[in-house]
Amino acid sequence: MTLAELFEKDTLRFLLFGGKGGVGKTSNAAAASLWAAEHGRETLVLSTDPAHSLGDSFAQNLSGGEAVQIKGVKNLYGLEIDPRKAYAEYQQMAQQPDMEEMGGMDMMGLGDLSDITAPGADEALAFSKVLEYIQECEYDLVVFDTAPTGHTLRLLGLPEMLDSFFGKLIKFRLRMGNIFGRIKAAFGRGDSEQDNSLEQMEKLKETISAARIELSDPERTRFVIVMIPEAMAVAETERLLQALYEFQIPSSHIITNMVFPEVLDCKFCKARKDMQEKYLAQIRDIYDDFTITEVPLFTHEVRGLPTLRRLGKLLATGTLPPLGE
Ligand SMILES: Nc1ncnc2c1ncn2[C@@H]1O[C@H](COP(=O)(O)OP(=O)(O)OP(=O)(O)O)[C@@H](O)[C@H]1O
Ligand SMILES: [Mg+2]
């Protein structure tokens, strides 16, 4: 299946872009989301990278905490998820006594864990926001601009981590509930509040399991690997693929970005071109069951709607429209 066919797949709901630092994940995610939106799909482009640059790519502030419309594009919305903000939100909500307000999926239902500082808690909370978008999914397509490999791998592992963390917590609460329930009963008091927070935890566990199913369904989810044709990128792609396989995230497409053009009478250019050609041949050979799309090195950075539109068209159709089109 070409990248174009993947983009046009009706069932596709989640398109993730990932790879090593600086290879063009944000640019390609932004370009793909723009193409999808301009071809009739209500699209959300979501950055899970704490060092955001999605807003830069669209030359628009996307850090407000809510998805906002990309100016000048009808069906496109963008959001950079800020783990620190998600954490602050959580702490504030956890202090509120009324658990009813906290919505089914929020882990904020854990009133007695307001001081949670477990390592990775901020990432986990940011991921809970991502889960929210996966579960509610008001959009036809959600495009993820992910962080460089290491961080993304941790994020992909979070559903399992949270699952077991919450699994243990639920068991613990059940046991404690039994003890406290008996004490309360002895004093003639009910334990409805306790039941409610248990319910919240069960719901969160269900949400996590549902998200796992969504993210591992090849009809609905694809992880597109972005890489540049250089030795280090090849090595890192191996690690990323291994992790995707482990977490059962379907992946079938690779974008080789910043491919050097053919330039006559330039020794430097020829040397770079030859070096890249060597790795491109290697990539084609190793990943022969992947669809590989080559993206040339542009003369300018990829930023703003006109350039993103050109890149989007290249990804979706395989041809780069001339400048100014
Ligand atoms: N094909 C290309 N030609 C020229 N410049 C490009 C190309 N693709 C990306 N760039 C530029 O390279 C820089 C890095 O791209 P981008 O931010 O998309 O990478 P990234 O993988 O998201 O980086 P990070 O790991 O920091 O998030 C940006 O300045 C972008 O405009
Ligand atoms: Mg980026």
Short mmCIF file of all heavy atoms in Angstrom, two decimals, residues 63-93:
data_model
loop_
_atom_site.label_atom_id
_atom_site.label_comp_id
_atom_site.label_asym_id
_atom_site.label_seq_id
_atom_site.Cartn_x
_atom_site.Cartn_y
_atom_site.Cartn_z
N SER A 63 -0.11 26.02 22.10
CA SER A 63 0.20 25.50 23.44
C SER A 63 -0.84 25.86 24.48
O SER A 63 -0.60 25.77 25.67
CB SER A 63 1.58 26.02 23.88
OG SER A 63 1.52 27.43 23.97
N GLY A 64 -2.04 26.26 24.03
CA GLY A 64 -3.04 26.73 24.98
C GLY A 64 -3.74 25.66 25.79
O GLY A 64 -4.54 25.97 26.67
N GLY A 65 -3.48 24.40 25.54
CA GLY A 65 -4.10 23.34 26.32
C GLY A 65 -5.37 22.77 25.68
O GLY A 65 -5.87 21.73 26.09
N GLU A 66 -5.91 23.45 24.69
CA GLU A 66 -7.08 22.95 23.96
C GLU A 66 -6.75 22.96 22.47
O GLU A 66 -5.97 23.81 22.02
CB GLU A 66 -8.29 23.87 24.17
CG GLU A 66 -8.85 23.89 25.58
CD GLU A 66 -9.40 22.54 26.03
OE1 GLU A 66 -9.95 21.82 25.17
OE2 GLU A 66 -9.25 22.22 27.21
N ALA A 67 -7.37 22.05 21.72
CA ALA A 67 -7.15 22.03 20.27
C ALA A 67 -7.70 23.32 19.66
O ALA A 67 -8.80 23.75 20.00
CB ALA A 67 -7.84 20.82 19.66
N VAL A 68 -6.91 23.96 18.82
CA VAL A 68 -7.39 25.18 18.14
C VAL A 68 -7.32 24.99 16.63
O VAL A 68 -6.50 24.22 16.13
CB VAL A 68 -6.57 26.44 18.53
CG1 VAL A 68 -6.79 26.82 19.98
CG2 VAL A 68 -5.08 26.26 18.25
N GLN A 69 -8.17 25.72 15.96
CA GLN A 69 -8.19 25.61 14.50
C GLN A 69 -6.91 26.22 13.92
O GLN A 69 -6.44 27.25 14.38
CB GLN A 69 -9.41 26.33 13.94
CG GLN A 69 -9.58 26.02 12.47
CD GLN A 69 -10.78 26.72 11.85
OE1 GLN A 69 -11.63 27.26 12.55
NE2 GLN A 69 -10.84 26.69 10.54
N ILE A 70 -6.34 25.53 12.94
CA ILE A 70 -5.18 26.08 12.24
C ILE A 70 -5.72 27.18 11.31
O ILE A 70 -6.61 26.91 10.50
CB ILE A 70 -4.43 24.99 11.44
CG1 ILE A 70 -3.96 23.85 12.36
CG2 ILE A 70 -3.27 25.59 10.65
CD1 ILE A 70 -2.93 24.21 13.40
N LYS A 71 -5.14 28.37 11.48
CA LYS A 71 -5.67 29.52 10.74
C LYS A 71 -5.61 29.29 9.24
O LYS A 71 -4.58 28.87 8.72
CB LYS A 71 -4.86 30.78 11.08
CG LYS A 71 -5.20 31.33 12.44
CD LYS A 71 -4.39 32.60 12.73
CE LYS A 71 -4.28 32.80 14.23
NZ LYS A 71 -2.95 33.08 14.68
N GLY A 72 -6.75 29.53 8.61
CA GLY A 72 -6.80 29.42 7.15
C GLY A 72 -7.06 28.01 6.65
O GLY A 72 -7.07 27.78 5.45
N VAL A 73 -7.24 27.05 7.56
CA VAL A 73 -7.52 25.67 7.12
C VAL A 73 -8.81 25.21 7.80
O VAL A 73 -8.87 25.14 9.04
CB VAL A 73 -6.37 24.69 7.46
CG1 VAL A 73 -6.60 23.35 6.77
CG2 VAL A 73 -5.02 25.27 7.08
N LYS A 74 -9.79 24.86 6.99
CA LYS A 74 -11.12 24.59 7.52
C LYS A 74 -11.17 23.39 8.48
O LYS A 74 -11.70 23.49 9.57
CB LYS A 74 -12.07 24.37 6.35
CG LYS A 74 -13.52 24.57 6.72
CD LYS A 74 -14.42 24.62 5.50
CE LYS A 74 -15.62 23.74 5.73
NZ LYS A 74 -15.82 22.73 4.71
N ASN A 75 -10.63 22.28 8.08
CA ASN A 75 -10.83 21.05 8.86
C ASN A 75 -9.68 20.66 9.77
O ASN A 75 -9.62 19.53 10.21
CB ASN A 75 -11.06 19.88 7.90
CG ASN A 75 -12.45 19.90 7.31
OD1 ASN A 75 -13.39 20.24 8.00
ND2 ASN A 75 -12.55 19.58 6.04
N LEU A 76 -8.77 21.59 10.00
CA LEU A 76 -7.56 21.19 10.74
C LEU A 76 -7.45 21.88 12.10
O LEU A 76 -7.59 23.09 12.22
CB LEU A 76 -6.32 21.51 9.88
CG LEU A 76 -4.97 21.02 10.42
CD1 LEU A 76 -4.98 19.51 10.65
CD2 LEU A 76 -3.84 21.38 9.46
N TYR A 77 -7.18 21.04 13.11
CA TYR A 77 -7.03 21.54 14.48
C TYR A 77 -5.68 21.05 15.01
O TYR A 77 -5.23 19.96 14.64
CB TYR A 77 -8.17 21.04 15.37
CG TYR A 77 -9.50 21.52 14.85
CD1 TYR A 77 -10.14 20.84 13.82
CD2 TYR A 77 -10.06 22.70 15.34
CE1 TYR A 77 -11.33 21.31 13.29
CE2 TYR A 77 -11.25 23.18 14.82
CZ TYR A 77 -11.89 22.48 13.79
OH TYR A 77 -13.05 22.97 13.27
N GLY A 78 -5.05 21.85 15.85
CA GLY A 78 -3.74 21.46 16.37
C GLY A 78 -3.66 21.65 17.88
O GLY A 78 -4.37 22.49 18.45
N LEU A 79 -2.82 20.84 18.50
CA LEU A 79 -2.61 20.96 19.95
C LEU A 79 -1.26 20.39 20.34
O LEU A 79 -0.88 19.30 19.90
CB LEU A 79 -3.72 20.19 20.70
CG LEU A 79 -3.55 20.00 22.21
CD1 LEU A 79 -3.55 21.33 22.94
CD2 LEU A 79 -4.67 19.12 22.77
N GLU A 80 -0.53 21.15 21.14
CA GLU A 80 0.69 20.63 21.74
C GLU A 80 0.37 20.27 23.19
O GLU A 80 -0.04 21.15 23.95
CB GLU A 80 1.79 21.71 21.73
CG GLU A 80 2.21 22.12 20.35
CD GLU A 80 3.17 23.31 20.35
OE1 GLU A 80 3.20 24.07 21.34
OE2 GLU A 80 3.88 23.48 19.35
N ILE A 81 0.54 19.03 23.54
CA ILE A 81 0.22 18.61 24.91
C ILE A 81 1.40 18.91 25.82
O ILE A 81 2.53 18.50 25.54
CB ILE A 81 -0.15 17.12 24.96
CG1 ILE A 81 -1.51 16.94 24.29
CG2 ILE A 81 -0.20 16.61 26.40
CD1 ILE A 81 -1.98 15.53 24.23
N ASP A 82 1.11 19.63 26.87
CA ASP A 82 2.18 20.02 27.80
C ASP A 82 2.09 19.16 29.06
O ASP A 82 1.14 19.28 29.83
CB ASP A 82 1.99 21.50 28.14
CG ASP A 82 3.08 22.01 29.06
OD1 ASP A 82 3.86 21.17 29.58
OD2 ASP A 82 3.17 23.22 29.25
N PRO A 83 3.07 18.26 29.28
CA PRO A 83 2.99 17.37 30.44
C PRO A 83 2.91 18.15 31.75
O PRO A 83 2.16 17.75 32.65
CB PRO A 83 4.30 16.58 30.40
CG PRO A 83 4.93 16.86 29.10
CD PRO A 83 4.30 18.09 28.52
N ARG A 84 3.62 19.27 31.83
CA ARG A 84 3.59 20.02 33.10
C ARG A 84 2.21 20.58 33.38
O ARG A 84 1.73 20.58 34.49
CB ARG A 84 4.62 21.15 33.09
CG ARG A 84 6.01 20.65 33.46
CD ARG A 84 7.02 21.63 32.99
NE ARG A 84 6.80 21.90 31.57
CZ ARG A 84 7.48 22.78 30.86
NH1 ARG A 84 8.42 23.48 31.43
NH2 ARG A 84 7.25 22.95 29.58
N LYS A 85 1.56 21.04 32.31
CA LYS A 85 0.22 21.59 32.47
C LYS A 85 -0.76 20.48 32.88
O LYS A 85 -1.60 20.67 33.76
CB LYS A 85 -0.23 22.24 31.16
CG LYS A 85 -1.28 23.29 31.36
CD LYS A 85 -1.60 23.98 30.05
CE LYS A 85 -0.94 25.34 29.95
NZ LYS A 85 -1.16 25.98 28.65
N ALA A 86 -0.62 19.32 32.23
CA ALA A 86 -1.49 18.18 32.56
C ALA A 86 -1.31 17.82 34.03
O ALA A 86 -2.26 17.51 34.74
CB ALA A 86 -1.16 16.99 31.67
N TYR A 87 -0.07 17.89 34.51
CA TYR A 87 0.25 17.54 35.88
C TYR A 87 -0.37 18.54 36.85
O TYR A 87 -1.00 18.17 37.84
CB TYR A 87 1.77 17.49 36.04
CG TYR A 87 2.23 16.94 37.36
CD1 TYR A 87 1.83 15.67 37.76
CD2 TYR A 87 3.05 17.67 38.20
CE1 TYR A 87 2.24 15.15 38.97
CE2 TYR A 87 3.47 17.17 39.41
CZ TYR A 87 3.06 15.90 39.80
OH TYR A 87 3.47 15.40 40.99
N ALA A 88 -0.24 19.83 36.52
CA ALA A 88 -0.80 20.88 37.37
C ALA A 88 -2.32 20.75 37.43
O ALA A 88 -2.93 20.85 38.50
CB ALA A 88 -0.40 22.25 36.83
N GLU A 89 -2.92 20.46 36.28
CA GLU A 89 -4.38 20.28 36.19
C GLU A 89 -4.81 19.14 37.10
O GLU A 89 -5.77 19.24 37.85
CB GLU A 89 -4.70 19.87 34.75
CG GLU A 89 -5.84 20.60 34.11
CD GLU A 89 -5.92 20.21 32.64
OE1 GLU A 89 -6.30 19.07 32.36
OE2 GLU A 89 -5.55 21.04 31.78
N TYR A 90 -4.04 18.07 37.03
CA TYR A 90 -4.34 16.89 37.83
C TYR A 90 -4.29 17.22 39.31
O TYR A 90 -5.19 16.87 40.07
CB TYR A 90 -3.34 15.79 37.48
CG TYR A 90 -3.07 14.83 38.61
CD1 TYR A 90 -4.01 13.87 38.95
CD2 TYR A 90 -1.89 14.90 39.33
CE1 TYR A 90 -3.78 13.01 40.00
CE2 TYR A 90 -1.66 14.05 40.39
CZ TYR A 90 -2.60 13.10 40.71
OH TYR A 90 -2.37 12.27 41.75
N GLN A 91 -3.22 17.93 39.72
CA GLN A 91 -3.07 18.24 41.15
C GLN A 91 -4.23 19.09 41.64
O GLN A 91 -4.76 18.87 42.71
CB GLN A 91 -1.75 18.95 41.39
CG GLN A 91 -0.60 17.97 41.43
CD GLN A 91 0.71 18.66 41.75
OE1 GLN A 91 1.02 19.68 41.16
NE2 GLN A 91 1.46 18.10 42.65
N GLN A 92 -4.62 20.04 40.79
CA GLN A 92 -5.72 20.93 41.17
C GLN A 92 -7.02 20.14 41.31
O GLN A 92 -7.73 20.28 42.29
CB GLN A 92 -5.86 21.99 40.09
CG GLN A 92 -6.64 23.19 40.55
CD GLN A 92 -7.01 24.07 39.37
OE1 GLN A 92 -6.63 23.81 38.23
NE2 GLN A 92 -7.78 25.09 39.65
N MET A 93 -7.28 19.27 40.35
CA MET A 93 -8.53 18.51 40.37
C MET A 93 -8.55 17.50 41.51
O MET A 93 -9.58 17.26 42.10
CB MET A 93 -8.74 17.79 39.05
CG MET A 93 -9.08 18.75 37.95
SD MET A 93 -9.26 17.88 36.41
CE MET A 93 -10.99 17.46 36.50
#
